[in-house]
Amino acid sequence: MQSMDTSRVDYRVIPTSEGITSDYPLPEHSTVPIEEAIRIVQNIAHKTGTETISVDDAEGRTLSETIYALADMPGFDRSSVNGFALITADTSDASAMNPCKLTLAGSVEKEVTHIDQINRGQAISILTGGILPEGADAVVGTEDCTIREGQIVISRKIWKNSNIIRKDEDFKTGEPLYPNGWVLRPQDIAVLASVGRIRVKVRRKPVIGIISTGRELVPAESIPKSGEVREVNSYLITAFCKRQDAIPVRYGIIRDDAEELTTLINQASQECDAIIVSGGSSRDEYDVTAQVIHTLGEVYTEGISFAPDKRTTIGRIGSILVIGLPGHPSATFMVLSLVVIHLIQAMKGSSRQKVYVRKAVLADHLHASSDSDRYIRVTITDDVATPLFGKAGLINMLSQSDGIVRIPAGSRGYRAGDRVEVMIW
């Protein structure tokens, strides 16, 4: 299990489709590559509505407006250090052998809004954040000068604009600060407050309906009988949706019954922005998800071609996207992390998706598939990524893995000792 230095974790930004529209041509193949699956969900996804909220609640939310600076920031020329404002021409010949001596002509406090213009040969005491006197073009820090008998003694040339911040150096009036679709971070909240934006317009959180199917499933709080298993995927999908700032709604368990699934999907399509059906997407007689979606709407794919293949149904009922995921939790998590994450971001109108990655040394060989990308789970200890190989359906693959390594189709694969990129869960 992991023992990672998280400071080494970086991220790559993957652009999402621009101009997402349901009229975009979509394939109708039984199986598609993962890139095509991402394109499908991005183009089917309808954007959620908007709401105006306090910046106190805006971290992690997606802007639905462009934020502009309404005035210059900071709004006045000011000092960035404690020191003395001066005219740099007075110091052009200053050196240790020939120091410049300036007359101390006054002081600027932070709250002072005006001071008479400085003249040649003068220096004015100023605190960090103080307004730069008219005519001054730099500030010398207190540590770079001395005071002798009412004079400021400087032993080197001071360059123009040293230790000052100009009135529009942070932001200029009308400058765009954040674009529509930007996902707000904690540091962005500070910037919004600095320009007086304490309320912002954001995308509403997508509501994701979750339906679990399986004849063998019983509620997680139950004690399974022989042949039964606890239902866990709805908990996994719920936690995943919350991490992506979506609102999960569970609709319970059904027993691979097409009529019951039809009723539940119809209900969820009236109440949600997208629907995830866990299970019911397998190549057997109980594969009802694709049947129901086809009856009610359109099916665009019934599988994603990355090795090992994941039976995943993607379709649409009206304007609502429906995804049928595989039943095994480890496979479900793989599809959530590689495909569904893009669906949620597209619904929120985000123009980019961050994928957190880190480099690690591979502990074992990883062979490539000739026709499909492979995604292999790994556990990371220090800088070493150890592949996890296990039988399909083992839930311990979830708890043991820290991320996945992609092996491109048709490549030479990776050898033990290669430095590879790991996408962190």
Side-chain angles (χ1 to χ4, degrees), residues 30-313:
S30 59
T31 302
V32 298
I34 189 168
E35 294 81 8
E36 188 70 6
I38 293 171
R39 188 182 72 86
I40 291 171
V41 299
Q42 287 176 336
N43 283 282
I44 297 177
H46 73 274
K47 293 181 180 178
T48 58
T50 64
E51 60 182 338
T52 300
I53 63 173
S54 166
V55 293
D56 286 331
D57 303 316
E59 194 275 327
R61 301 296 295 272
T62 302
L63 284 173
S64 61
E65 63 173 328
T66 299
I67 304 293
Y68 297 92
L70 301 180
D72 290 340
M73 288 287 292
F76 57 90
D77 296 339
R78 65 180 183 179
S79 174
S80 62
V81 298
N82 293 337
F84 301 91
L86 50 75
I87 300 171
T88 53
D90 288 332
T91 70
S92 57
D93 297 322
S95 66
M97 300 299 294
N98 181 37
C100 167
K101 297 179 181 180
L102 303 175
T103 300
L104 184 57
S107 64
V108 174
E109 304 295 338
K110 284 186 178 180
E111 64 272 16
V112 173
T113 58
H114 176 75
I115 191 167
D116 291 337
Q117 181 169 330
I118 191 173
N119 297 314
R120 291 290 298 270
Q122 293 181 333
I124 294 177
S125 176
I126 191 168
L127 297 177
T128 302
I131 299 175
L132 194 70
E134 295 182 24
D137 59 4
V139 173
V140 59
T142 53
E143 68 278 8
D144 293 324
C145 61
T146 57
I147 303 176
R148 297 177 190 167
E149 300 176 349
Q151 288 187 315
I152 308 303
V153 181
I154 304 169
S155 299
R156 64 176 180 84
K157 179 178 180 178
I158 304 300
W159 296 97
K160 190 174 182 179
N161 293 322
S162 295
N163 299 318
I164 64 174
I165 296 174
R166 291 299 183 185
K167 67 176 185 176
D168 60 356
E169 195 167 331
D170 249 342
F171 309 117
K172 293 178 172 61
T173 302
E175 177 184 351
L177 306 182
Y178 297 110
N180 187 338
W182 183 265
V183 180
L184 292 169
R185 306 161 298 174
Q187 59 266 42
D188 301 329
I189 304 303
V191 173
L192 291 172
S194 76
V195 298
R197 288 300 304 268
I198 61 170
R199 294 185 67 78
V200 290
K201 185 183 292 185
V202 298
R203 289 281 172 189
R204 292 186 182 276
K205 295 182 179 183
V207 178
I208 309 297
I210 303 168
I211 301 173
S212 299
T213 69
R215 300 169 65 87
E216 75 286 4
L217 298 181
V218 295
E221 65 272 18
S222 301
I223 298 177
K225 299 176 183 177
S226 178
E228 295 180 337
V229 296
R230 291 187 176 95
E231 191 282 311
V232 300
N233 277 356
S234 69
Y235 293 90
L236 172 62
I237 299 167
T238 292
F240 183 87
C241 288
K242 288 180 177 179
R243 174 182 280 190
Q244 297 303 318
D245 209 32
I247 300 173
V249 178
R250 292 189 187 128
Y251 285 86
I253 302 170
I254 64 170
R255 308 296 179 188
D256 291 325
D257 180 270
E259 185 176 346
E260 189 177 357
L261 181 59
T262 298
T263 300
L264 215 50
I265 284 183
N266 273 327
Q267 178 187 344
S269 67
Q270 301 300 312
E271 301 169 348
C272 303
D273 296 299
I275 302 169
I276 296 176
V277 181
S278 169
S281 289
S282 58
R283 294 178 174 88
D284 58 31
E285 62 183 300
Y286 301 117
D287 181 358
V288 298
T289 302
Q291 297 174 28
V292 171
I293 298 174
H294 181 75
T295 300
L296 299 176
E298 302 171 85
V299 174
Y300 294 109
T301 180
E302 295 182 37
I304 301 176
S305 60
F306 62 92
D309 283 1
K310 298 293 179 277
R311 182 69 166 172
T312 302
T313 301

